[in-house]
Amino acid sequence: MKGLYSAVLASAIAGAFAAPSPVEQGPITARAAQAACATPVTLSGNPFASRSIYANKEYSKEVIAAAASMTDSALAAKASKVAQVGTFLWIDTSARISVVEENLKDVPCNQLAAFVIYDLPGRDCAAKASNGELAVGDISTYKSEYIDPIVAIFKKYPNTAIALVIEPDSLPNLVTNADKQACKDSASGYREGVAYALKQLNLPNIAMYIDAGHGGWLGWNDNLKPGAKELATVYKNAGSPKQVRGISTNVAGWNAWDLSPGEFSKATDAQWNKCQNEKIYVETFGPALKDAGMPAQAIIDTGRNAVTGLRKEWGDWCNVKGAGFGVRPTSSTGSSYADAFVWVKPGGESDGTSDTSATRYDSFCGKDDAFKPAPEAGTWNQAYFEDLVRNAKPSF
């Protein structure tokens, strides 16, 4: 990085952190941090209506480094702006808990910190790419060495608003992959673990969303009621925590919000799935959840869903080629069931490795519509990030 390009990139990065919009807030300066809430926060109603998502420091650092390594100055300028978009921070191991406090202490009162709780024993039971650190049955470690330490940190920050996505893919897997031995083995731990997390994290300043897959998963006609029952049962087993707001959908996914007809509406099996986009899904699954006795508001991950028509099948989930950053986080959704569009998956971090010899290799990451080469799940993929920037809608 030399000469004029260095100056262009420096200017772009400086601009990314200057005067952020109400929706897309950047990492907070010491001066802005002084605007933290003076009194304890109690969240009720839509937490995103009056607060934007804090741009966590971990993702911002990745993005800034990625932009700095680009040789195309125009693309680098666009890429640097991604650093100011509020994105959820994944706590996917016990070791990752070490960065939580650093991403809580500077959050101002008009923003909220956003995290993903993701470390269940036997995690990712229907795939391999995101298998976790805890073995099936190790629920005591999940409680004492993962959830409890997170709760302890959150309790130190009662004046900070926090939004949580709870255990992506876990309960949906118990609905549709109950025939897989790994999911059978993990089922009781998933249910007990999620219930424990909901109960312990039920603090006044926290809003929780239990993951509910997406329209191409629990949106199938035969999955709607069983899916609602599964989530609602765990919610009730946790004591129906007041701070559970509803569900998260399309996490790390690709589905369009309101594309009509849907991306797979012409598939031979489309007649058995009326939820051909995420809007139909949350507005169909929502009433089923209410009937089952659970809150039904939704947040939808739009981080990588800008481009449709890329997947050969609805279930293709790994590093889809040609994807682009989608609609920026906002509470303007046009649906009474949708609290906000959010970025849950940090765009640029891999979904899974394409290395067929790797222990965590999943065949979905080797499909024709999957980007290759790709590193292990959660690892930065520079080329893929650059494509997300190029294909972003709206553009940066």
Side-chain angles (χ1 to χ4, degrees):
M1 186 174 65
K2 300 178 180 178
L4 177 61
Y5 171 59
S6 298
V8 169
L9 180 59
S11 175
I13 291 176
F17 295 107
S21 73
V23 173
E24 299 173 7
Q25 298 277 352
I28 307 307
T29 63
R31 180 179 297 178
Q34 295 174 4
C37 297
T39 57
V41 170
T42 298
L43 294 179
S44 62
N46 183 356
F48 300 92
S50 59
R51 289 180 169 88
S52 57
I53 301 171
Y54 176 69
N56 75 76
K57 298 172 184 177
E58 313 313 309
Y59 185 55
S60 293
K61 285 186 289 188
E62 287 184 315
V63 170
I64 292 171
S69 71
M70 293 180 184
T71 55
D72 181 336
S73 59
L75 187 66
K78 291 181 178 180
S80 67
K81 295 178 182 178
V82 178
Q84 68 181 301
V85 180
T87 304
F88 277 68
L89 176 58
W90 291 59
I91 315 172
D92 55 356
T93 62
S94 294
R96 190 68 166 168
I97 298 171
S98 64
V99 305
V100 170
E101 192 155 9
E102 181 64 25
N103 287 281
L104 275 174
K105 64 186 183 67
D106 295 330
V107 179
C109 198
N110 65 346
Q111 296 186 20
L112 51 77
F115 300 94
V116 179
I117 303 298
Y118 188 55
D119 199 26
L120 279 171
R123 192 179 71 194
D124 204 21
C125 67
K128 294 181 179 179
S130 295
N131 290 165
E133 63 182 353
L134 300 181
V136 171
D138 200 359
I139 191 67
S140 62
T141 300
Y142 178 76
K143 293 177 179 180
S144 64
E145 297 182 22
Y146 180 72
I147 293 297
D148 291 353
I150 293 172
V151 172
I153 294 172
F154 287 168
K155 284 182 175 179
K156 292 170 61 178
Y157 292 88
N159 294 17
T160 300
I162 299 170
L164 301 177
V165 167
I166 306 296
E167 295 293 352
D169 296 353
S170 59
L171 299 183
N173 267 325
L174 302 187
V175 178
T176 63
N177 292 305
D179 59 326
K180 293 182 180 291
Q181 190 60 47
C183 292
K184 290 180 182 178
D185 295 342
S186 299
S188 63
Y190 281 15
R191 293 174 177 129
E192 183 180 348
V194 172
Y196 185 82
L198 296 176
K199 187 172 184 178
Q200 299 304 313
L201 292 163
N202 188 43
L203 304 173
N205 58 320
I206 293 178
M208 291 182 282
Y209 297 84
I210 306 171
D211 192 64
H214 55 76
W217 192 343
L218 296 188
W220 294 89
N221 302 351
D222 289 345
N223 293 341
L224 287 164
K225 285 188 177 180
K229 181 181 179 181
E230 180 68 55
L231 268 65
T233 298
V234 173
Y235 164 75
K236 292 174 184 176
N237 288 345
S240 302
K242 183 179 180 181
Q243 298 309 114
V244 173
R245 175 76 178 160
I247 59 173
S248 58
T249 81
N250 206 42
V251 168
W254 319 94
N255 292 351
W257 165 241
D258 59 0
L259 181 68
S260 182
E263 186 173 354
F264 294 98
S265 60
K266 294 183 180 179
T268 56
D269 55 5
Q271 60 184 310
W272 292 295
N273 186 330
K274 55 189 172 186
C275 299
Q276 290 289 319
N277 60 46
E278 290 302 287
K279 184 174 189 290
I280 297 174
Y281 176 49
V282 301
E283 292 178 350
T284 304
F285 194 57
L289 280 173
K290 287 184 176 179
D291 288 345
M294 183 184 142
Q297 294 303 117
I299 54 175
I300 300 90
D301 189 353
T302 59
R304 304 185 301 179
N305 73 343
V307 185
T308 59
L310 302 173
R311 293 170 292 171
K312 292 189 174 182
E313 296 178 336
W314 215 343
D316 292 356
W317 54 264
C318 191
N319 301 318
V320 174
K321 288 191 294 189
F325 284 117
V327 172
R328 315 303 182 254
T330 178
S331 60
S332 299
T333 65
S335 171
S336 60
Y337 274 95
D339 278 353
F341 300 142
V342 296
W343 283 17
V344 182
K345 172 71 178 184
E349 294 184 4
S350 178
D351 294 319
T353 181
S354 58
D355 179 0
T356 57
S357 66
T359 300
R360 298 203 304 174
Y361 172 73
D362 189 288
S363 61
F364 277 88
C365 300
K367 285 198 165 189
D368 290 343
D369 54 10
F371 184 96
K372 306 176 196 70
E376 290 281 357
T379 304
W380 192 258
N381 189 334
Q382 180 70 17
Y384 196 82
F385 172 74
E386 292 181 11
D387 280 353
L388 289 173
V389 176
R390 289 189 189 96
N391 300 327
K393 294 180 183 179
S395 62
F396 283 95

